Amino acid sequence: MADQLNALQAVRCTCEDSNVSAPIPRWEPLSEAVLADQRGTYDRMRAACPLAESPRGITLFRHADVVAAANDPATFSSAVSAHRMVPNSLDPPEHAAFRAAINPFFTPERMQALEPSLQRIAQEIIGALPRGATVDAVTEIGYPFAVRAQADWLGWLGIEEELLAWMADNHAATRSADRSRTAAVAAAFDEIVLAQVRRRRQMGTAAPKDPTTELLSVTVNGELLSDADIVSILRNWTAGDLASMAAAVGVVAYFLAAHPDVQESLRANSDGLAAAIDEMLRIDDPFLVSRRVTTAAVPLDEFVIEAGKRIYLNWTSANRDESLFTDPDTFRPEEHAAHNLVYGAGIHVCPGRPLATLELVVAVQALLGMTIGIELATDGELVRETYPLGGWRRVPLRLR
Ligand code: HEM
């Protein structure tokens, strides 16, 4: 890694002729050295160079470049995969029609109606954890809370164990980097989702009144959604975001345990809890990257990104860019909120943000309200997560 960084410095130093585009520096984002300290590597990469290329594509590290790309969907298309993902892989104008159909599922009124059952779930999970013994915030709080909260919201009751087992398979398949294994796990998830859709079609007017049933009567451009698009929407509301939610719980729990001053002040007054959680996630954003593909050549400083290049918008790096967050590890919720990119930017900005925020606020309220102290356990190992996720894989805690 040191050699790669020296090479990056050298690239920047030798680019004095403004008429010639510089070669984009190379890096190996999935090398053992990078995976061992993803966030630290991104910090060093960003300091050395705004972008770097690997056989997987070109990564943008700076806040300004990530925001510019996210706000220019004509040049940075989301049609990166052969698979249609609704709305994630759609570009304008199709994207807007689907977002208009999806956004109403996350209104403040709907979130308010969900709050009591989310509180019950959080309290059951935190209440069942032992006091004074080591517990893992990710697998014993994050996973079960994310799964039960999503199942409750979507009306998928009774399949929580199946979803938890699927999450474990999905994690293992992702880490194996074996494409046939990840494809099999994705197909298994589609079957879980399709079963929910089919059941509701069969039940007709007797189907439960939940967001899954509602999707059956949603129209886009005057037409009902196809089963394939309904499954795709539900997959994007669950498959990826269960992992993001569980990882986010780990990041927030770690931060609270590692910063007793912040923990105590939120325990005394939880008014600014949502903003505090956003700031904890900015410092250690578990949602690492989003993909794009360039539709035209793009100049960036002394470099030129060619058309047809796979791009990675590195949210984790952008959220720590010193040009906006002077000391990226400093906790300043109000000051940093305007530039926080945890939920993305531009037309693909996360529609699930209100739900994610509500779930995290409710989980932290239960954690703080049902304990008198949260500490890092000294007899367990803190383990970082690796690509495609960030944050923590294991956060051993002791609840008092
Ligand atoms: C802490 C949890 C979460 C984080 C950090 C997160 C972050 C993000 C980010 C950064 C994007 C932008 C992707 C891009 O630009 O390509 C995004 C998009 C998206 N998120 Fe989330 N998200 C979270 C939870 C959720 C939840 C709970 C849902 C749904 C229930 C959700 C649904 C979506 C969907 C459907 C998109 C794609 C939107 C589009 O393409 O227009 N997310 N999310």
Side-chain angles (χ1 to χ4, degrees), residues 70 78 85-90 95 98-99 102-103 106 150 153-154 232-238 240-249 277 281 285-292 313 315 341-357 359-360:
S78 288
M85 289 177 285
V86 183
N88 307 44
S89 73
L90 307 182
H95 176 265
F98 279 88
R99 275 299 290 257
I102 287 170
N103 290 346
F106 303 96
Q150 294 294 86
W153 171 52
L154 293 171
S232 182
I233 290 170
L234 287 167
R235 191 193 312 115
N236 289 319
W237 285 357
T238 45
D241 295 298
L242 287 173
S244 310
M245 287 306 305
V249 169
I277 291 169
L281 296 174
D285 187 350
F287 195 111
L288 296 182
V289 292
S290 292
R291 293 181 303 168
R292 299 289 189 269
L313 310 183
W315 305 113
L341 291 178
V342 167
Y343 292 98
I347 61 167
H348 292 276
V349 69
C350 181
R353 178 176 187 168
L355 178 60
T357 303
E359 289 184 16
L360 291 168

Side-chain angles (χ1 to χ4, degrees), residues 1 22 57 81 98 110 113 130 148 150 162 174 203 236 244 249 258 269 293 333 336 340 364 373 383:
M1 176 50 57
S81 143
F98 279 88
R110 287 189 181 234
R148 287 184 58 187
Q150 294 294 86
E162 194 181 352
T174 309
M203 290 174 82
N236 289 319
S244 310
V249 169
N269 177 3
V293 58
H336 291 160
N340 187 313
V364 173
V383 184

Side-chain angles (χ1 to χ4, degrees), residues 19-20 43 50 60 65 103 106 120-121 128 139 150 158 163 165 172 179 187 309 318 327 380 383-384 391:
N19 294 319
V20 180
D43 285 349
L60 304 183
D65 299 332
N103 290 346
F106 303 96
R120 177 184 45 76
I121 293 168
T139 54
Q150 294 294 86
L163 285 173
R179 278 175 187 243
K309 284 283 182 187
D327 175 0
V383 184
R384 293 291 292 173

